Amino acid sequence: PDGFRLVNQPEQVIAVHNSGSVIVFDAAPNVNNLDPYTYLTQDWMKGESLQQAESIKINGQPAATASFPGSVNGQPMTIRIVAVQWTPKLIYRFQMAIPSGSSAAMVEELKRTTYSLRPMTSSEKTQVKPYRIDLFTAGSSDTVASVARRMPFTTLQEQRFRVLNNM
């Protein structure tokens, strides 16, 4: 959503807002082929006291959601969790930390984020192009900044360059 900063990690994607709202998105195996409601209540959150647990659909995919009170960095939050069955053996999961007193607009943005999960269309799949790494010999006048500007990104070019080059 607007105003969130994404942190892409190997096992999850985290979105953080300066209001304190946090979204964590990941995938988990559904080894017992459970329906999303059973997965959420008896596997993922087994033993937790959940509120408002219910089965839902997200763009035609079976899903389930629940909430519980929690805190992030000492700030009271409502934690909203969503489990979406993508395949019989794969569950996509959202965990959203919503600060107490959040605006209705913020809650709606988080809900829209959840409901944006959908399979890519054939057209979208054909438009995806992987980035390629080009090797070249740096000249004596090249700097990290000048070489990083050649990267096909509009943000964090130098940081990405440093990560790719173990610097």
Side-chain angles (χ1 to χ4, degrees), residues 65-91:
T65 185
S67 65
F68 56 92
S71 67
V72 175
N73 297 324
Q75 183 179 3
M77 304 269 183
T78 296
I79 310 298
R80 167 67 58 186
I81 54 175
V82 180
V84 182
Q85 186 171 21
W86 202 250
T87 69
K89 297 289 185 188
L90 179 67
I91 299 280

Side-chain angles (χ1 to χ4, degrees), residues 42-100:
Q42 296 179 20
D43 187 339
W44 185 20
M45 294 285 124
K46 184 178 183 176
E48 297 295 327
S49 179
L50 300 175
Q51 301 168 356
Q52 304 167 326
E54 63 179 324
S55 293
I56 60 174
K57 290 267 189 193
I58 295 185
N59 292 314
Q61 299 293 121
T65 185
S67 65
F68 56 92
S71 67
V72 175
N73 297 324
Q75 183 179 3
M77 304 269 183
T78 296
I79 310 298
R80 167 67 58 186
I81 54 175
V82 180
V84 182
Q85 186 171 21
W86 202 250
T87 69
K89 297 289 185 188
L90 179 67
I91 299 280
Y92 283 136
R93 307 184 307 184
F94 289 94
Q95 300 169 67
M96 293 167 274
I98 308 163
S100 298

Side-chain angles (χ1 to χ4, degrees), residues 86-126:
W86 202 250
T87 69
K89 297 289 185 188
L90 179 67
I91 299 280
Y92 283 136
R93 307 184 307 184
F94 289 94
Q95 300 169 67
M96 293 167 274
I98 308 163
S100 298
S102 288
S103 69
M106 174 61 76
V107 173
E108 186 60 29
E109 279 291 316
L110 294 170
K111 187 175 183 179
R112 268 201 301 272
T113 298
T114 302
Y115 281 87
S116 71
L117 182 65
R118 63 175 178 74
M120 293 175 70
T121 66
S122 296
S123 174
E124 289 169 332
K125 289 177 185 178
T126 62

Side-chain angles (χ1 to χ4, degrees), residues 144-145 148 151 157-167:
V144 168
M151 297 184 73
Q157 289 174 307
E158 190 169 326
Q159 290 90 332
R160 294 172 198 259
F161 177 82
R162 288 182 182 278
V163 167
L164 285 171
N165 288 283
N166 197 26
M167 299 172 80

Side-chain angles (χ1 to χ4, degrees), residues 113-149:
T113 298
T114 302
Y115 281 87
S116 71
L117 182 65
R118 63 175 178 74
M120 293 175 70
T121 66
S122 296
S123 174
E124 289 169 332
K125 289 177 185 178
T126 62
Q127 293 174 12
V128 173
K129 304 288 184 233
Y131 287 118
R132 304 259 186 238
I133 295 176
D134 292 326
L135 299 178
F136 75 99
T137 303
S140 60
S141 63
D142 284 322
T143 65
V144 168
S146 70
V147 175
R149 281 194 297 273

